[in-house]
Amino acid sequence: MLVFGDLVWIPFTFSIQGWWLLKNKVELTTAAIIANCLVFLLGYVVFRGANKQKHVFKKNPKAHIWGQPPKVIGGKLLASGYWGIARHCNYLGDLLLALSFSLPCGISSPVPYFYPIYLLILLIWRERRDEARCAEKYREIWAEYRKFVPWRILPYVY
């Protein structure tokens, strides 16, 4: 299944936007180009920043996050930085990156948005499995973390 996904599925989904742009004339304003670059940069910063914070925390639980000592729930779960904003904030970064690949195609068709829509469904499904696994693994600590960080992926929305 992984081999099929890596050899067939990923090249197909990652190239839809490029094929769309080759077949359809899209004129972008300077503001649209700048906005898309900002979506990409925000996605990159959130994705890489969140993953780096988790990596640094695992190596050194006392390392500062955004210049402050980390907030830790139950001595195990990081609740500072990105991880104090949403429990799966790295997924938000990934979704913003995927969206930035489709935005240059415009909004005349949903076809170029297949990849970010597919990724949204995949990551929500994965997030729910992660939640169930963490609830079983951490029990009371996870319940406390959920109260401290109520948002799953997108703050104030989900």
Side-chain angles (χ1 to χ4, degrees):
M1 193 164 95
L2 287 173
V3 171
F4 176 82
D6 288 343
L7 294 177
V8 177
W9 189 248
I10 288 176
F12 168 74
T13 60
F14 281 27
S15 64
I16 291 173
Q17 298 90 346
W19 287 108
W20 178 264
L21 289 171
L22 285 172
K23 299 286 183 185
N24 297 279
K25 185 168 176 58
V26 178
E27 296 287 333
L28 296 175
T29 65
T30 302
I33 293 168
I34 291 169
N36 189 60
C37 288
L38 291 174
V39 170
F40 176 85
L41 288 172
L42 179 63
Y44 184 80
V45 166
V46 171
F47 181 76
R48 293 291 301 141
N51 287 325
K52 184 173 182 180
Q53 283 178 354
K54 185 166 53 171
H55 175 74
V56 167
F57 176 73
K58 285 181 179 184
K59 284 177 67 176
N60 179 8
K62 296 186 189 299
H64 283 202
I65 304 290
W66 291 344
Q68 300 289 321
K71 293 180 186 118
V72 181
I73 305 292
K76 296 181 179 183
L77 300 175
L78 177 62
S80 288
Y82 292 105
W83 302 97
I85 297 171
R87 296 191 301 268
H88 304 277
C89 52
N90 54 330
Y91 295 170
L92 175 60
D94 211 0
L95 290 166
L96 288 170
L97 286 168
L99 180 63
S100 76
F101 301 150
S102 298
L103 287 174
C105 298
I107 58 170
S108 64
S109 171
V111 171
Y113 291 87
F114 174 82
Y115 172 58
I117 292 167
Y118 164 76
L119 188 63
L120 175 66
I121 294 165
L122 178 99
L123 291 177
I124 287 174
W125 181 31
R126 183 176 177 187
E127 173 270 325
R128 291 185 179 190
R129 289 190 328 252
D130 290 348
E131 287 280 320
R133 193 183 80 239
C134 288
E136 184 165 325
K137 180 179 180 180
Y138 296 111
R139 305 212 182 263
E140 304 83 32
I141 298 171
W142 189 253
E144 185 181 343
Y145 179 60
R146 287 182 60 189
K147 286 179 188 168
F148 190 81
V149 183
W151 306 108
R152 294 173 179 230
I153 296 175
L154 182 60
Y156 304 102
V157 177
Y158 177 77

